[in-house]
Amino acid sequence: MSIPPQAAPNSATAPHSATAPDPGPARVTRYWHRYLDTRKGSWYRFAPTGPPGEELADLRAGLGQEAGTVPAMWPYYTSPTDGDVTRELEAEHGALALYGLHQQSQQRPMHKPQVGLGSALRSLRVADRFSPEALDRRVAAAVNATSVPALLYRLRGLVPQLRAEGIAMDYDRLMRDLERWTHPEQRQRVRRTWGLAYHVWKPAAEDTEAAGTDGEGPARS
């Protein structure tokens, strides 16, 4: 499947003079950062209610669809591409579609840095709104998926439950995990990280200290 090069508008850099230092690749702003002041954890003043509903609807149109096949999503892609679907683009497509589902009708941001999926699901479990046993089964079905489409299908059933409790998670981290999912060894690492965060209890202070590249931070402030 090929998509138009303009689907990755942030991949190009402006020309510079021969004597000017190379600034390196432009910083990419993923969609879930577009309206969010991450330092404050709230929406920017120009968008006090967050992303427009029609944009979130565009993202949800990608649920269950292959990356690059939904024209409505093309303007939101930021992954570099020469027209082919890369692992990064596939991961971004999945994260965008889930974010559109997660943020739907929510006043608070559903992207929260340092909150991995396992931690978010742990908060859902202890919220005691849904059957812990049923949730355990759904989480196990998700982490046992061996392909990105299968994983996304399972997560599509869990995200509305997170939304119902207003539990946010880190979509940068989710996108990175989705990109790793295609490699068996890296997939096992992601599974281990999610599983430990979901099942192992830790004091809040230790949770905060453990937040890092591969670890997962607390799911609630």
Side-chain angles (χ1 to χ4, degrees):
M1 173 64 200
S2 295
I3 60 175
Q6 63 266 30
N10 291 342
S11 60
T13 55
H16 51 81
S17 67
T19 57
D22 185 349
R27 182 182 178 88
V28 172
T29 300
R30 307 294 185 189
Y31 180 81
W32 41 86
H33 288 281
R34 185 176 295 182
Y35 301 99
L36 177 64
D37 186 339
T38 307
R39 294 171 301 175
K40 298 180 180 179
S42 58
W43 305 120
Y44 284 117
R45 290 184 179 180
F46 69 82
T49 59
E54 58 270 23
E55 293 186 1
L56 295 176
D58 288 341
L59 300 184
R60 292 195 300 276
L63 292 167
Q65 306 299 317
E66 294 182 5
T69 63
V70 182
M73 292 190 70
W74 292 348
Y76 307 105
Y77 291 150
T78 59
S79 299
T81 177
D82 59 2
D84 294 326
V85 175
T86 62
R87 289 195 302 271
E88 181 183 347
L89 182 61
E90 183 182 26
E92 184 177 26
H93 173 93
L96 283 169
L98 290 176
Y99 176 75
L101 181 63
H102 200 170
Q103 191 61 59
Q104 181 183 15
S105 303
Q106 293 295 300
Q107 295 300 312
R108 295 173 53 247
M110 290 295 102
H111 165 66
K112 187 174 183 180
Q114 301 297 324
V115 180
L117 176 64
S119 294
L121 291 171
R122 176 65 182 177
S123 288
L124 179 62
R125 194 179 193 278
V126 301
D128 207 28
R129 176 171 176 176
F130 303 100
S131 164
E133 293 77 14
L135 183 60
D136 289 348
R137 289 193 296 270
R138 300 186 80 173
V139 171
V143 300
N144 283 323
T146 56
S147 68
V148 172
L151 174 61
L152 291 172
Y153 176 78
R154 299 297 183 184
L155 294 181
R156 183 178 176 180
L158 289 166
V159 166
Q161 293 181 275
L162 293 172
R163 182 183 65 201
E165 287 296 306
I167 298 173
M169 66 177 172
D170 189 333
Y171 274 85
D172 289 315
R173 182 172 292 178
L174 177 64
M175 179 179 164
R176 184 170 66 245
D177 289 344
L178 291 173
E179 190 173 358
R180 292 174 174 175
W181 205 258
T182 57
H183 299 280
E185 183 176 333
Q186 294 184 30
R187 180 167 65 240
Q188 189 59 28
R189 288 185 61 192
V190 174
R191 278 178 177 151
R192 183 172 62 245
T193 300
W194 288 355
L196 290 175
Y198 181 67
H199 285 289
V200 179
W201 179 87
K202 290 182 293 186
E206 291 184 16
D207 263 320
T208 303
E209 293 171 1
T213 302
D214 293 316
E216 296 207 359
R220 289 193 181 279
S221 301

